Amino acid sequence: MSNYTFPEGFKWGTATASYQIEGAVNEDGRGPSIWDTFSHTPGKIEDGSTGDVTCDHYHRYKEDVALMKEMGIRNYRFSISWSRILPSGKGEINRKGLDFYKALTSELLNAGITPHATLFHWDLPQALQDAGGWAARETAYHFRDYVEIVTRELGESIRNWMTHNEPWVHSMVGHFQGDHAPGLKDLKTALQTAHHMLLGHGLAIPVIRKNSQGARIGIVNNLEWIEPASSGIRDREAAARHDGAYNRWYLDPLYFGTYPRDMMEWYGSDAPKIEAGDMKIISTPMDFLGVNYYTRRIIAHDSQGNFLKCRQVRYPFMRPSDYEEWENNAEGLYRLLVRLKEDYENPELLITENGTPLPDEVGADGEVHDPDRIDFLYRHIGAAWQAIADGVDLKGYFAWSFMDNYEWCLGFTKRFGLIYTDYESGQRIIKDSGRWYSELCRSGTLHLPES
Ligand code: FCB
């Protein structure tokens, strides 16, 4: 491996999620999900928008797959909407929902693009939320039953499966911070939710293995590189807590079958209820870990701070293009990947999301020039290359996102795409970063564009 060339067979891809791109929320028998409810609740979404139409991918999927093919992108990570398949979350199957994903999958395969499906990217059927959501143990079993249906029907055409997307975000942002659906604010509920999501993941693995022969199965976690703000003991302990709550809480159960002991103690009576046998199910061996990496965080002790008694330190070098509290830091990606290798027995990894939002606009020339995104991608993909050179078992990279889309509680205020979406007309325009990434997908060799 030299000259920033990636290994043969390295998977280059892009990623999306159902609620963010599909639209067509009331079509072909789809039931409501918690994100429909949440986005339609006044005051929850920054610009008051909903995912009712968004990129209208449900109707435009052929055009989107054609664009992917034109760009030479050979792998596509998308998510399946549970409430299209089972409008009430369980019970009656909606054939038209399955038909949509079958049509999408064959379109992809005919275009030479490998499908990678996420089974849960946060859009829980509302009917299941009404019965307690993921905080209720039964939801883990309903998830297993839903996975049985999906993989029985699609298990031959899709061989790459991801159970959940970012259990931290769904449990903590959705059930403790309240900024995501279902908008709850209770730590104990959030931790119980996380436990049941992990349980559902473990229950789903044998089901997928049975229905999808030779499948590669994993989970997708959002992970950060975390550093203490100083070498003082209190900052180091605060950083360890943040790491415990954010990273280790969602990794140790998968790899070691235990929750981190320091965090169990910290959470005390808020810790989840665990039944006999749960941890064995959760640690069922999987094939890869999906890593969503967006940022490094520098953490200081703060007795007035959040539930972990810590706070994030912003340094002057955080650039205006940094997203909210997200510092663009590619070295953090390198360090995180090496840490996963060292602490979690050198697992097979895929970077399942990485990207940056920018205030993109269509120029007078009708093009979208986004040099800062090219710079971001170049640095992060370079960090990934270095990690592979240093022995990390990294098998692929998926840019977030294929196209601009509905960014959850931030609505349409953020653009992450390699493709610009005009939400009025539905028109798609490949950005400069999209052309740059396309070249990388074709050549497998990283270099900056000529300026
Ligand atoms: C991740 C989500 C993804 C997208 C990016 C920006 O947390 O998985 O859907 O919103 O952030």
Side-chain angles (χ1 to χ4, degrees):
M1 215 168 81
S2 63
N3 196 19
Y4 302 109
T5 295
F6 280 73
E8 199 63 41
F10 190 80
K11 299 181 178 84
W12 295 105
T14 58
T16 62
S18 48
Y19 189 69
Q20 295 183 275
I21 64 162
E22 285 178 3
V25 291
N26 293 316
E27 272 176 66
D28 292 340
R30 176 188 181 276
S33 84
I34 58 173
W35 269 96
D36 298 300
T37 310
F38 193 76
S39 66
H40 280 266
T41 307
K44 298 292 187 196
I45 309 298
E46 188 160 311
D47 58 1
S49 62
T50 72
D52 287 3
V53 179
T54 178
C55 308
D56 199 25
H57 171 75
Y58 190 78
H59 297 116
R60 291 175 170 258
Y61 71 92
K62 288 191 178 167
E63 175 188 345
D64 290 335
V65 173
L67 267 172
M68 232 174 267
K69 183 179 179 188
E70 180 192 326
M71 290 168 75
I73 296 167
R74 302 293 299 275
N75 294 274
Y76 177 46
R77 172 178 177 238
F78 60 97
S79 81
I80 293 178
S81 156
W82 189 336
S83 51
R84 280 199 199 282
I85 313 292
L86 292 159
S88 310
K90 58 181 177 157
E92 206 174 323
I93 300 174
N94 176 34
R95 300 294 322 174
K96 288 191 170 166
L98 285 166
D99 290 346
F100 171 67
Y101 294 106
K102 284 185 181 174
L104 170 64
T105 302
S106 36
E107 197 74 15
L108 288 165
L109 292 171
N110 289 338
I113 300 165
T114 304
H116 300 249
T118 310
L119 289 152
F120 181 70
H121 201 126
W122 310 345
D123 43 358
L124 187 73
Q126 182 62 43
L128 292 185
Q129 189 62 45
D130 296 343
W134 280 106
R137 192 175 169 87
E138 299 76 59
T139 300
Y141 293 87
H142 295 322
F143 177 69
R144 181 197 59 189
D145 297 346
Y146 149 72
V147 172
E148 165 73 40
I149 295 160
V150 172
T151 54
R152 206 170 55 210
E153 297 277 340
L154 288 153
E156 281 190 17
S157 39
I158 304 177
R159 306 282 175 167
N160 299 277
W161 296 98
M162 306 176 193
T163 54
H164 295 310
N165 179 69
E166 302 189 347
W168 181 87
V169 173
H170 189 63
S171 55
M172 295 300 276
V173 184
H175 298 73
F176 174 56
Q177 298 175 3
D179 295 330
H180 275 192
L184 305 178
K185 293 187 179 176
D186 181 68
L187 182 58
K188 193 171 173 61
T189 306
L191 295 172
Q192 196 63 57
T193 293
H195 181 66
H196 292 152
M197 287 184 76
L198 293 174
L199 182 65
H201 156 83
L203 290 168
I205 293 174
V207 173
I208 305 172
R209 290 230 186 278
K210 170 172 68 77
N211 290 336
S212 183
Q213 301 239 322
R216 307 292 296 161
I217 306 168
I219 191 171
V220 171
N221 282 8
N222 51 306
L223 300 170
E224 292 179 345
W225 177 251
I226 291 155
E227 289 176 26
S230 78
S231 57
I233 181 73
R234 283 172 15 127
D235 285 346
R236 280 193 282 129
E237 284 178 357
R241 281 197 299 279
H242 184 90
D243 179 56
Y246 198 91
N247 293 330
R248 288 182 286 126
W249 191 262
Y250 299 85
L251 287 170
D252 289 16
L254 297 168
Y255 287 100
F256 311 137
T258 54
Y259 285 106
R261 187 180 301 176
D262 57 333
M263 296 313 295
M264 281 298 264
E265 282 170 19
W266 182 266
Y267 288 141
S269 61
D270 286 323
K273 187 166 179 294
I274 303 167
E275 292 195 7
D278 283 4
M279 301 313 291
K280 192 158 190 318
I281 294 172
I282 291 173
S283 54
T284 301
M286 54 181 184
D287 303 311
F288 67 90
L289 174 72
V291 177
N292 289 357
Y293 177 84
Y294 287 95
T295 192
R296 156 177 89 158
R297 256 181 239 274
I298 297 170
I299 299 294
H301 175 85
D302 183 353
S303 55
Q304 306 300 310
N306 63 10
F307 69 112
L308 299 168
K309 293 207 185 316
C310 48
R311 77 184 146 82
Q312 181 180 0
V313 177
R314 288 182 66 94
Y315 278 123
F317 55 68
M318 285 180 73
R319 294 173 295 176
S321 63
D322 289 337
Y323 173 33
E324 313 275 309
E325 303 298 312
W326 291 2
E327 177 204 354
N328 291 349
N329 186 282
E331 194 191 339
L333 173 61
Y334 169 80
R335 292 193 187 197
L336 171 69
L337 294 172
V338 171
R339 183 249 179 127
L340 291 170
K341 167 178 175 253
E342 287 170 357
D343 289 0
Y344 294 95
E345 299 161 4
N346 197 12
E348 179 173 321
L349 303 174
L350 282 180
I351 295 173
T352 35
E353 285 181 29
N354 177 235
T356 192
L358 293 170
D360 302 311
E361 282 173 9
V362 184
D365 56 359
E367 307 271 326
V368 180
H369 303 296
D370 56 345
D372 285 354
R373 183 171 289 106
I374 295 175
D375 179 69
F376 178 99
L377 293 171
Y378 175 76
R379 287 172 195 276
H380 284 77
I381 295 169
W385 182 92
Q386 188 61 54
I388 298 171
D390 292 343
V392 171
D393 191 12
L394 178 67
K395 291 290 186 350
Y397 176 96
F398 292 71
W400 183 271
S401 178
F402 174 60
M403 57 186 155
D404 295 338
N405 57 48
Y406 185 71
E407 179 52 21
W408 309 109
C409 58
L410 300 172
F412 295 112
T413 65
K414 299 284 178 231
R415 293 184 176 273
F416 275 91
L418 298 175
I419 292 178
Y420 182 92
T421 309
D422 180 329
Y423 296 108
E424 294 292 314
S425 66
Q427 193 195 354
R428 281 89 162 115
I429 301 169
I430 302 175
K431 300 179 191 176
D432 286 356
S433 61
R435 295 186 202 289
W436 177 84
Y437 189 64
S438 158
E439 209 285 310
L440 173 60
C441 291
R442 289 206 168 85
S443 69
T445 298
L446 182 66
H447 53 77
L448 271 174
E450 288 141 33
S451 47

